[in-house]
Structures are given as C-alpha cells and as structure tokens.
Amino acid sequence: MLNIERALVICAHPDDEVLGLGGTIKRMTAAGIEVNVVMFANGNEGYPTLAEKDSIVETRRNEREAVQKILGISHFEAYDYGDYAIPANEVTYKICMKAIRAYRPQAVFTHYWREYNTHKAVASIATDAFWQAGWTCSLELGDPWKPEALYYFEVIELLHQISHIVDISDTLEAKLEAMKAYASQCSVVPGALRQLEGKAFMRGAQAGVNYGEAFLKNTDRPEIIL
Amino acid sequence: MLNIERALVICAHPDDEVLGLGGTIKRMTAAGIEVNVVMFANGNEGYPTLAEKDSIVETRRNEREAVQKILGISHFEAYDYGDYAIPANEVTYKICMKAIRAYRPQAVFTHYWREYNTHKAVASIATDAFWQAGWTCSLELGDPWKPEALYYFEVIELLHQISHIVDISDTLEAKLEAMKAYASQCSVVPGALRQLEGKAFMRGAQAGVNYGEAFLKNTDRPEIIL
Amino acid sequence: MLNIERALVICAHPDDEVLGLGGTIKRMTAAGIEVNVVMFANGNEGYPTLAEKDSIVETRRNEREAVQKILGISHFEAYDYGDYAIPANEVTYKICMKAIRAYRPQAVFTHYWREYNTHKAVASIATDAFWQAGWTCSLELGDPWKPEALYYFEVIELLHQISHIVDISDTLEAKLEAMKAYASQCSVVPGALRQLEGKAFMRGAQAGVNYGEAFLKNTDRPEIIL
Amino acid sequence: MLNIERALVICAHPDDEVLGLGGTIKRMTAAGIEVNVVMFANGNEGYPTLAEKDSIVETRRNEREAVQKILGISHFEAYDYGDYAIPANEVTYKICMKAIRAYRPQAVFTHYWREYNTHKAVASIATDAFWQAGWTCSLELGDPWKPEALYYFEVIELLHQISHIVDISDTLEAKLEAMKAYASQCSVVPGALRQLEGKAFMRGAQAGVNYGEAFLKNTDRPEIIL
Amino acid sequence: MLNIERALVICAHPDDEVLGLGGTIKRMTAAGIEVNVVMFANGNEGYPTLAEKDSIVETRRNEREAVQKILGISHFEAYDYGDYAIPANEVTYKICMKAIRAYRPQAVFTHYWREYNTHKAVASIATDAFWQAGWTCSLELGDPWKPEALYYFEVIELLHQISHIVDISDTLEAKLEAMKAYASQCSVVPGALRQLEGKAFMRGAQAGVNYGEAFLKNTDRPEIIL
Amino acid sequence: MLNIERALVICAHPDDEVLGLGGTIKRMTAAGIEVNVVMFANGNEGYPTLAEKDSIVETRRNEREAVQKILGISHFEAYDYGDYAIPANEVTYKICMKAIRAYRPQAVFTHYWREYNTHKAVASIATDAFWQAGWTCSLELGDPWKPEALYYFEVIELLHQISHIVDISDTLEAKLEAMKAYASQCSVVPGALRQLEGKAFMRGAQAGVNYGEAFLKNTDRPEIIL
C-alpha cells in the first residue's frame, strides 16, 4: 500500500481525512508519495455555538489549510457542498472520475460503504469511479487511468472486516496535531480526540505495534496475477 | 420502551404510523406519554378511483386528523411531499434533526431500513438524525438532544429480527379504528385490514398475548452502562 | 419463464439488455412472446474517442434500433437520461409503474440490486413498481396490473444466487450479433465480447447445455398456490 | 409445488412436520400426491412432567402414528436419535441420500438453515443430499434421482424471505387436529397452538386467503429452462 | 444489565471470561450480583514450551482458581474438554440447559457466534439453551427457567454490532490482574495484554468513559412489554 | 501470491485440488515453488457403477498419484476419511496445524466457507489453523509458523467475492490433463469437464486473459504494514 507513487483520498467532510487515515497520509508524504485529497463538504453545519454559524465555513477552510501543511497533502480539491447535502449524482460522480484520471493514483482511499448517509454517498460514487475511470469512455474527463487498489478507511463505524493495518506509531503525533488543527470540531463530537486515540491504540494492538489505522481493500476489481 | 415521557414517530405516508405502531401509540398516549409524529408524504397517489385524484390529498388530511384524535397524538407535523417523492436530502434530514431537538423524545420510532424505497429513505435520515441530533452542531436546528433509543417498526416487510414486542391486546381496537379512519386506503392495498390483524395476531402469539406489535431496537448507539 | 405472453425489460444503458438477457429475449420473441424494453440512459458517456463525443448519442440510438430488429423487440421505450444521471425518483418510478400497466407483462426483468450505482437505482424502482403496479392507486398511470414474476439479470456483477438458467445455445449468435451492433461499446470495456461469451459458456455449463443466461427470481412477492 | 406425484419431508422432531407444513401435506395427500416423511428424533426430551420421562418416546410414537393417519402420510421413516442428538454426519447424510433415491420425490421439504441447532443440522444435510442424490455416485444408496425443487418451511424462526405461500384454508383444521394429536407437546412450548394459528393467519393474509403456510425455494440448484 | 441478581457466563477456554467480560464480572460481583461461570476447556493446548505440556492443565486450573478469587465468581463449573475438542452435541447442550436451570440467571453471557470454531460451538449451544431452558421439557435437567437476556461478548473478533457498553474504568485493574493471573497465556498470544487494553480503551472512548467492554444483546427472544 | 517459496493446499476430496486451483498449482510448481497438499477424503463414494464400489478407493489413490506428477506436487498428505465423513474436530484441526508448521507455507489455499458440508468443515478448520498455527501453543505440533495469506478457491459454488485471478492460460492444459487423470470422477458429476472449462473461460475473461482461476483472500488476519 505504501509502495506507490501517488495516492488519492476521496472524502466527505473536513476532518474525515484525518480521522480516517491522517497517520497513513503522513507516512506516505514523508516517504515521498504524492497524496491528493478530494473533499466534498464545506463544513457549514459544524458550528458549536450559534455565534459561529456565519464564520464556520471560513474557519474550517483555514483549519483545512493548516491540516494540508501538517500532513503534506499536495492538492486539496475542496468543494462547497453543505455537510448534509452531498449527493451521489452525475456531478459528484464526474468529480471522482476526473480526479482519478487527473491525479493518476495507484491507490484510492475512501469512506466505508456501511456508514453515515453522506459518507455512504461518497463511498458509492468513489467505488464505481475507481473502476470506471479505467474504461475508454467519457474522455472529456481525462485519459483512462486504472488505479491498482481501493481501500476503505474507518471514521465513525468500525470496519466489519479489515484487510490491512498501517503502523502509525511514528505519525500518531501528526494525526493528533492535524485533528487539533480542526479545533472547531473537537467540541462538536464529544470525546472525538479520545475516540481517535482509542481506535489507533486498538488497531495498533491488533498489529503488534503501538498505534495503527485499519483499512479494508475493495475486491470489486480483483488483482490480476499474470 | 413505554417508561418514558415523550416519543417521536418519523414515517413516510399517512397510515404507516397506524400499520406500524398504532396500538403502541395508543398505549403510550393512554399512559400519559406525549407522542408526536413527523410524516413526509401527503398521500397524493392513493386514489382508488380516477374521480378521487384531485381530492385525495384533502381526503387523507381529514383522515389523518381523525387518526390523530383516535390515537391521541399531540403534534402531527405533516409535510407535503408526493407519495413517491420523499427524498433523503439536506431538507428532509434537517426536518428530522429539528423535530428530535424540538420534541426531545426519549424514544424515536421509524421505518425499517430494508424496505420499500421511500420508507428506506426515511429510515436512513431518521437513523442518522437520531444520532447526530445529540452533537453540538447545527444549532440553528435547536439545542442538542440525545434520544435514548431508536426502534424500527414493520409496515410492509416483516422485520428480520425483532427485539421487542408490545402487547396491544387492549389497543388493537383503536388501531383498527384508526386504520378504518384511513378509509380511502383500505381498498388500495387489497386485504390491508386483514394483513394488519394477521400480523398483530402472530406477533401477539409470539409473546404469549392476544395481539402485539414488533420492533427492532437500533444498535448504532449502544446503551451505556455507567 | 418462457411460457408467457408478454415480457418487460427495464434497464439502464443501451447494451445492458443485450449483455444481461439478449439470448433470452431472442428465445422469447422467436416463440411469439411480446418483449418490450424500457431504457433510461441515452449512452452519452460511451464515446471511445473525443471526436465521437457529440455524435455518440445518435450513434447509440442507431445501434439500439438495429438491436431492436435483431432481437425482435416490440416497443423500445428509450429515455434521455445521461449515462451517469439516472435518478431513483418520482419521475423514473412513475415511468416503471406506467410501463408495467401499459405493457401488462407476466414477467419483468431488471438489473440486480447489488450492482453499479445507476443499475442499483433502476433495480430499486423496478422492484418496487413491479409490486405496487398491482395496487389500486395512481390510476392516472393506468389500470392496476400484477406481473407474475420479477427476474434479476447479470451485467457486470455475477449474481450471488441464481434461480434459473435459460438455455441460449440457439440464440447466442443473435446475442453476439446484437452486441456487435453496439459497435461503439465494444472498445469501451476492454474484452466485453469475450466476457459475454465467457459468462454464457459458464452458465451453460452449469446447466448442462452449451450456452446459458442466469437469473435470480425476486421473492418480494411470493407465488400464491391456491 | 402441488403439481407433482411424490413429495418428501425431511425433519427433525415429531411435530416439526405439522408446525412447518401440516396444512400443505394434507392438501397434497388429498390431491393424491404421495407424501413420505423422514424424521430423525424420537421425542425423548419433550416430557412435560418427570413422571412421563420413561414413557415419552412411546407416547410420541403413538402420537406420530395418529398424525400419519390424519395427514395421510405414506411412509413415516422415523429414527431414534435423541431430541438434542441429531448429528450432521455420514450416517444421517446417507439416510437423506437413500430416502431421496428410494422415494423419488419431485419436491423435498426441510428445515430452514437459519434455525435452532438440530434443525440447522437437518437443513444442512438435506440441502446437500437434495443435490448430490442426482450424481452418479454412492450407488449402494440407490439409483440417482434428481428432485426438481427443495423448499424450506418455518417452524420456530420466521423465514427471512418467502417464495411461496400455500393456501391451507381448507386444511387448517387437519393441521390443528394433527397438532392436537401431539398432545404431549402442546404444553411444552407455551402457546404453541396459538402461535401455529397466528402464523397461519398472517401468512394467509399476505396471500389474500384465510390461512397459509410459507416456504422459501432453495436456489442452489437453478431451474433449467430448455 | 447490571440491575439483576444472578448472571451466568458460558465460555470456552480459561481466560475467555477475563478477555471478554472480566471488568463487567468484577462490577457485578462488587455490586452483590452472583456470577457463575461454565467453562468447557481445560487449557491443554496452551503450553508455551514443550516442557510445560504435561503440567499445563494443572497450571491453568490453578490460574483459574486465582481468577475466581480476583473477580469474585461464585461457582466456577469447569469441564475437561481439550482446547480444540469442544463439541456442540447433546452432552454440552445439556450442560448449558442444566446450568441455566440450576443458577437461574437473569442474564447469560456467551461467545459471539461469528468466531473461532470452538467459540462458535459454545455460542450455538448457549444461544439455543438460553431459550429452550424456559420450555416445559427435559425436566431431569431442572425446573424451567427463563433468563431475561443473552449477551454476546468479544474475545478475538470484534463484535460487528454492539448494543451495550459497560463502563469498566473502575475494574480495568481487576481485569488486568486477572489476565496476569493467567500468566501461562500471556506469552501464547503475542501482545494479548496490549490488545486487552486497546479494546478496553476504544470501547470506553466510544462510550465517553475511560475503559469499557462491549456486548451485543441477542434478539432471538424479544423483550415482551406487557 | 506467486512470489513465494512454499504453498499449502488443504482440501477435502481427490479432485478438489484440481477443480479449485489445478492451473495455479502448476504455475507455482513450474516456477519452483514447493506445493504440498493435505487431503482428507479417500474418495470412497465416487463409484459410478456398483461394480467399482470395492475398488474405488484404490482407483482414486492411483489417480491421485498421477495428478501429483502432472501438477508437480511435492508431498501429498492424504487421509482416509470417507467422502461424507470429514469431521471438523480436534483430530482434523491438529492435522491442519501440524501441516502448516511442518511445511511452513507463505500461502495457504482452502475451500470457500459457503459451500457443501464437508468442504465447509475443511474451510472452518483450515481458516482457524492458518491463524492459530502462529501462536506459541501446542508445540508438540511443531514450532509456530505464520503463513502470510490464506486464499479460498472455488470448486462447486462460485465465490461471492473475488480478490485475485490467476492467469492459467499456459497451464489450463495441465489442469485438464489432471482432471482427466481423475477419470473415475468425470462421469460422476455430469458435465464436470465442461464446467471446469466454463469457469476457467469466464474467470479469464474477467481478467482479460484466456483462462483464469479465481480466489478470495481471507481477511481474518490483516496484512500489517510496518
């Protein structure tokens, strides 16, 4: 998974990329892998006080830019959908297709498909685009590109099966730093930081290391052994 | 389940609340529990003759108001979506969030998630809202409120698992009266009344009582034992 | 399955009807069964070169008309949705309801519900319409009609369970001819023709015949034995 | 399902055949279909008082013989396994294979595979034997015979999917009489008779008739359409 | 769950009771609830060096007795099956039935049914016995007793759904002490102690407390609300 | 998958290894990988005529030895269980543990767990042994050994998900030759050879090659990325 040149993360909300695979992103960028992120929502609902309602989108944009630096993300392609308003439709599907063809990743990372509704929408379009981007069609969206693998990460729900655990012992600190950079969100979900650490602890323990992040490799596109 | 102060039912069509849990609603209101209902569709497709097409929405509004009295429902928050036109989107999601925060129920009841398409849409948004309403976010929709439990009821499909059966022996009559109040619908689905009674009979028999209604408790939000 | 008067195929894209059940359609029409097709997408994304972008919809219309003749399809009710833009909403649902009531099929064939996103949308509305078309409602869409059976066919994903295999040894040629008539698509999915043949070979071998097509009968509406 | 010459029921305990499909057996035998039953357990644990412990096996044998007459069962091949002691092993598997080859049924009926442990064991061996009995192997167990269909009936758990409902309005009485002939069991499971009636009522209501029994057709062996 | 008089744990191997619910057992016994344990295996395979092969059963018996004291377990009914030799048969099923009738627990705790093979065997017999113990049958095994609830705990596999989390912040120490008392096992599964802590950390974080243990309530026997 | 030193196949009957992965075995042995096979059944039920009943076990032993040469299998550890008599118990579990520790494979191949009963038994013990063989326990069975991966192959049922397809275009001939060497079996399952070819054709077509064999990688033991 880490033996690639370029990775693409397709996620819903500002902080999903950190909660899901912040430690893995940091490991990848530290190893010289180019990591790009497509993010659909602008964070408009995550205001922990009414007073912050009008400024929350800007706040989260600034937080996101800080996270980009902390994790070393190359392009952060962020869209302006409301937090509860990410559709699975032609527009968002084409965003995924285009990003896969433009960034040409070997590995794509996205939400797990048994999840919260907007996450499910992203999981659905990213999964299909992962596969259809390699077809000779819709050339306006770029030249066909076949990523080698698609991995689901875990944000809210635990994955029901896991196929990979990445050792993030050395990058947990960056993951925590990134989550703290999303300062506005740390009070939205009570105990979010502790949950982040609890999951990292447990996934690490399962792998015999200090901290870990878990993934499930999609099998819609089998690995071909020539 | 019945040891609470306030309950909220989130359903799709006029009559789903009766078919699904009419007997339980009546037991709750008889016991002094405040029961509120959010309903999305206006019943526009349920005209059993072409002549009734233009009046069916008004007919069903009147029927609904009769049912409200029969079952003792406090607020009946009815929306004007077409029967086949209930989307799972930002607007309907916010309706659920807002209702949960406004009515502050201990228990929420909604459609089962393996069901007919519009029912599935309601199940999806109600399930997520049940959980996200407790977050410190979207404060414009009201102060955070955490219901204790979410129950799925059965309307068309039998539940594949059931966690609770409520004895409705004393309120079956009210349930039948309410269903008959939805007079326009009794001819739409052939044998609807008999199916209602058959299900009540069987669920009761499973519980060793005369008549029952079955529910599945959602486990997305585990009960915390302090 | 083949002992009926009229069949209706509800599918997403131009070529799904061939890939899924081209051989079975040909067997039905050869036996004097009326076969009608509802198709939602116009094929706008299937251009294998940028130069063909503006003409692809017309190309596929022409291809589709050739296929109609090859397979002997009576009405080919084709809509103009973009390939990635087939929604599961009131409009498409009513198209299904109306078609079932207009064509009065004994058997309906549609996409499998664990599939590529737009196929899933079609599977969902066709499955519900198959059942609701028999209700005494929405009479503007025609008189109630109850098809006897609904079958899922396989296009991309293999069906996880199969209940029927149709011997298409005598009509594989027509199926291949029809697929070749969709000439523009044969280069879009690499190896599409070979996959078609591979699947027909394997399904036939499972049935002890030369070539076959597999189906899963839906059980949402049990067969009633009087 | 009822348009056959011979049926075979493979079940675990004395009364499973009545609870599961007593009404359907009676309809078949009344229509001249030969129905045979293979039953594994002797009923040794169903003593409702300690005093009956030593006589219960004989009691249930007598009850079973009365049921055989009531329902018109031809051969009742009853084995002597303890109620909690039915294994899925070579011996019981061969009993199934042999019975299928000896009775040459067009339809086999057995327990649902998501069930109580001994029922699950019977479901497992009957399902595999249904299919392997048609192979050219184990000829000592009789000449190969391919039943056309395998149906699961429901005893304890409701079936999660149903493919067929048989109208037993005219034979419910025989079903009840047969259950009452298993007099020793009516007090073992409290409310057993009422559950029987509740299920028959509900399944009938689903089919638009007075009383019904539900089945799920196994799809491990697809119907071949030549 | 903790508002009961008596609990029964049915598990496979010496240490499963600690890994699965050591903290919860301690909370129960500290609150005056009687906790009994039925354990099938003698620990014969858990020798971390060949030299310990002949003494391991005795070692684990001693360890188990120490754990009994640490956690305050009343009766520790331990059987002598080999670690890989726990069958799901008449004998073990009757052990479960008898224990439920003898200890008369309100709550039963057992292995999760999607698990390692011998754990699965225990899950299967305990689940069925939980339900059948309430029938008026097999009176030699004691008078009928209906426990109110059955909970699955997690040892190796994470539960796929959880319905309850118990706060074990105050009893984690006892859980760890008990695990360390199973000194022979701490080297068998590398990192077992750390996995124990990781899981407790994560489950606690999910509940907003320091440490937790997670459970899934069985729904085979719905709660009846009279 | 093919970049390893040693592989171990654990299967039920003589010919399962050929049907499931004969082409892959040949590719491995041709590439210098050591392939060993553990096989439980002696083939005693596969006599296509009564006259062959007493000689069938010997016949299949001879056939198996021919296959060993054709495919280049190093050790063929064959047990003497009857075809319908393979238990999942302590003895067979230890056979798996011991074989894994003795042959020290990087990859283990076994039956799919949703399958015919004896195949399911093998799948169950092989899956657990694959994981427990790496523990520091049961040292009498050899020193702990952790294979890197476990793959399920398909014999009767198609895999519901596939993670890998191996190109067997160059070794299909050897697979067919091996199947023909199991001459006694070619008449047992009608059309077995054609089914073999049909599956190979389809799996190859899915991978864009002439012939293929499909596998599902087990995820009980996630790949750890250090």
Side-chain angles (χ1 to χ4, degrees), chain A residues 55-205:
Chain A
S55 56
I56 187 68
V57 170
E58 195 188 334
T59 301
R60 295 185 78 171
R61 187 184 318 119
N62 295 336
E63 293 173 349
R64 199 186 67 219
E65 285 167 10
V67 165
Q68 181 171 6
K69 280 178 199 142
I70 293 168
L71 298 183
I73 294 164
S74 298
H75 295 86
F76 212 127
E77 194 177 314
Y79 290 87
D80 204 32
Y81 290 94
D83 279 351
Y84 307 153
I86 307 171
N89 65 13
E90 187 182 26
V91 175
T92 54
Y93 189 59
K94 286 191 167 178
I95 287 172
C96 293
M97 291 271 288
K98 208 168 173 176
I100 291 170
R101 289 176 168 184
Y103 298 120
R104 301 191 303 152
Q106 282 80 30
V108 177
F109 296 84
T110 194
H111 286 281
Y112 183 44
W113 53 273
R114 290 199 208 168
E115 258 271 5
Y116 177 67
N117 52 54
T118 46
H119 292 189
K120 212 180 292 182
V122 172
S124 169
I125 52 175
T127 298
D128 284 338
F130 156 71
W131 161 80
Q132 193 161 26
W135 290 26
T136 312
C137 69
S138 306
L139 296 184
E140 209 177 39
L141 304 174
D143 288 334
W145 177 259
K146 306 185 186 187
E148 289 159 17
L150 173 67
Y151 299 95
Y152 298 109
F153 51 77
E154 56 190 4
V155 174
I156 298 172
E157 297 282 331
L158 291 177
L159 291 162
H160 292 74
Q161 278 189 298
I162 57 174
S163 60
H164 292 77
I165 295 178
V166 174
D167 179 359
I168 62 160
S169 306
D170 292 345
T171 57
L172 177 70
E173 208 167 335
K175 182 180 171 109
L176 282 165
E177 190 191 346
M179 193 59 217
K180 283 172 193 157
Y182 278 126
S184 69
Q185 298 314 295
C186 292
S187 53
V188 166
V189 189
L193 271 176
R194 191 167 167 83
Q195 281 197 45
L196 179 159
E197 206 183 332
K199 218 175 280 181
F201 187 163
M202 186 202 63
R203 292 307 188 190

Side-chain angles (χ1 to χ4, degrees), chain D:
Chain D
M1 185 198 277
L2 303 186
N3 192 19
I4 57 174
E5 289 171 60
R6 292 174 304 277
L8 175 63
V9 177
I10 301 177
C11 70
H13 303 99
D15 73 3
D16 286 337
E17 83 286 18
V18 174
L19 291 166
L21 73 163
T24 299
I25 290 175
K26 185 66 180 178
R27 276 205 62 183
M28 291 194 285
T29 59
I33 298 168
E34 179 188 323
V35 178
N36 298 298
V37 176
V38 167
M39 178 179 284
F40 287 98
N42 60 13
N44 67 327
E45 299 290 346
Y47 50 100
T49 63
L50 263 176
E52 292 163 88
K53 179 169 189 295
D54 291 338
S55 56
I56 188 68
V57 169
E58 194 187 338
T59 300
R60 296 185 78 171
R61 188 184 315 118
N62 294 335
E63 292 173 348
R64 198 185 68 220
E65 284 166 11
V67 166
Q68 181 170 8
K69 281 176 198 143
I70 294 167
L71 299 182
I73 293 164
S74 298
H75 295 84
F76 212 126
E77 194 179 313
Y79 291 86
D80 204 33
Y81 289 95
D83 279 353
Y84 306 153
I86 306 171
N89 65 14
E90 186 182 26
V91 174
T92 54
Y93 189 59
K94 287 190 167 179
I95 287 172
C96 295
M97 291 272 287
K98 207 167 173 178
I100 291 170
R101 289 177 168 185
Y103 299 119
R104 299 191 305 152
Q106 281 81 30
V108 177
F109 296 84
T110 196
H111 286 281
Y112 182 44
W113 53 273
R114 291 200 207 166
E115 260 268 6
Y116 177 66
N117 51 55
T118 47
H119 293 188
K120 211 180 293 180
V122 171
S124 168
I125 54 175
T127 300
D128 285 338
F130 155 73
W131 162 81
Q132 193 162 27
W135 290 27
T136 310
C137 68
S138 307
L139 295 184
E140 209 176 40
L141 304 174
D143 287 335
W145 177 259
K146 305 186 186 186
E148 288 161 17
L150 172 66
Y151 299 95
Y152 298 109
F153 51 77
E154 56 190 3
V155 174
I156 298 172
E157 299 280 331
L158 292 177
L159 291 161
H160 292 75
Q161 279 187 297
I162 57 175
S163 60
H164 292 77
I165 295 178
V166 174
D167 179 0
I168 62 161
S169 305
D170 292 344
T171 56
L172 177 70
E173 206 168 336
K175 182 181 171 111
L176 282 165
E177 190 190 345
M179 193 59 218
K180 284 172 194 157
Y182 278 125
S184 69
Q185 298 314 295
C186 292
S187 52
V188 166
V189 189
L193 272 176
R194 193 169 164 81
Q195 281 198 45
L196 178 161
E197 206 183 332
K199 217 175 280 183
F201 188 163
M202 186 202 64
R203 292 307 188 189
Q206 288 183 296
V209 298
N210 285 334
Y211 295 100
E213 282 170 349
F215 300 91
L216 175 63
K217 194 176 171 191
N218 168 285
T219 58
D220 288 357
R221 185 174 186 172
E223 195 172 313
I224 308 302
I225 298 180
L226 296 177

